[in-house]
Amino acid sequence: MRIFGKGFNFSQDGPGNRLVYHLSGCNMSCIWCSNPEGMAATAGKVYDIRDILAEAVSCKPMFFGGGGVTFTGGEATLQHKELLSLLGALKEEGIHTAIETNGTLEALPELLPYIDYLIMDFKHYDSERLREFTGIGNEVIKRNFEKICSSGRQAHIRIPVIGGVNADGAREFAEYFASHNTEAVVFELLPYHEYGRDKWKSEYKMKGGFVTEQTLQSFREAFTEVGLKLVKT
């Protein structure tokens, strides 16, 4: 398994104190990416999954507050074969598992039985607009979201709210989500930031991404009006 970063974080990448692994490679090319150093599949270092498992087991005393291990990226599911094996081994050890994903992997449902806490981005309701900014449409993302909803399993959906990209779509997002069974789903709004800007070795192309409190409030109102549950981490 190739990893470009790891460390502990509390409540930002799933519940409790978590050991977070950043897996290398991403199939999206978001121009606002905060981890551009992990986009390339060759970024980072290759680890034996047995060593990762041993490290996680040794860290069990640190998993307080319902914590555990989180796999993020890049896009963690691109290494789905290794991830499937490791997730299964972690579950056998009684370690809580979480994953952060862009939802574009057809095989995501194969991983779900081994994931205790699923965090999935939903960057745009319009496939062509998403493709314009990330290089990938949302057809698979929607199919995965709809499978999750129909199964009734837990999911934490994150919507990055970005000026010039999707910030004018509060109603459209809310209407799409509300057309499915979201009883076990929570939603989180992530206002645009530039925390990763200085990591870019090439030109940072995102312009005008910051959003106002009024824009965020329009999302909150649209979501609550249709009964969607909002959270903040």
Side-chain angles (χ1 to χ4, degrees), residues 14-82:
N17 200 44
R18 310 196 68 82
L19 176 56
V20 182
Y21 291 99
H22 290 263
L23 275 59
S24 306
C26 190
N27 56 345
M28 281 186 164
S29 52
C30 305
I31 60 175
W32 58 83
C33 182
S34 58
N35 290 312
E37 74 277 21
M39 282 184 172
T42 55
K45 177 182 175 182
V46 175
Y47 294 82
D48 190 304
I49 62 173
R50 293 171 295 186
D51 294 333
I52 301 171
L53 176 62
E55 181 174 54
V57 170
S58 73
C59 290
K60 275 186 176 184
M62 297 295 293
F63 298 150
F64 52 84
V69 174
T70 297
F71 296 98
T72 183
E75 174 47 44
T77 63
L78 294 183
Q79 300 185 53
H80 63 280
K81 290 182 180 178
E82 297 88 347

Side-chain angles (χ1 to χ4, degrees), residues 136-176:
I136 291 182
N138 70 8
E139 294 85 359
V140 176
I141 300 169
K142 282 187 171 181
R143 284 200 295 272
N144 281 332
F145 174 75
E146 290 162 16
K147 286 178 183 176
I148 289 163
C149 290
S150 63
S151 73
R153 73 148 288 150
Q154 166 278 335
H156 180 150
I157 303 299
R158 285 178 168 165
I159 303 98
V161 183
I162 304 171
V165 177
N166 63 6
D168 60 348
R171 187 67 55 187
E172 289 83 355
F173 272 110
E175 289 176 354
Y176 170 73

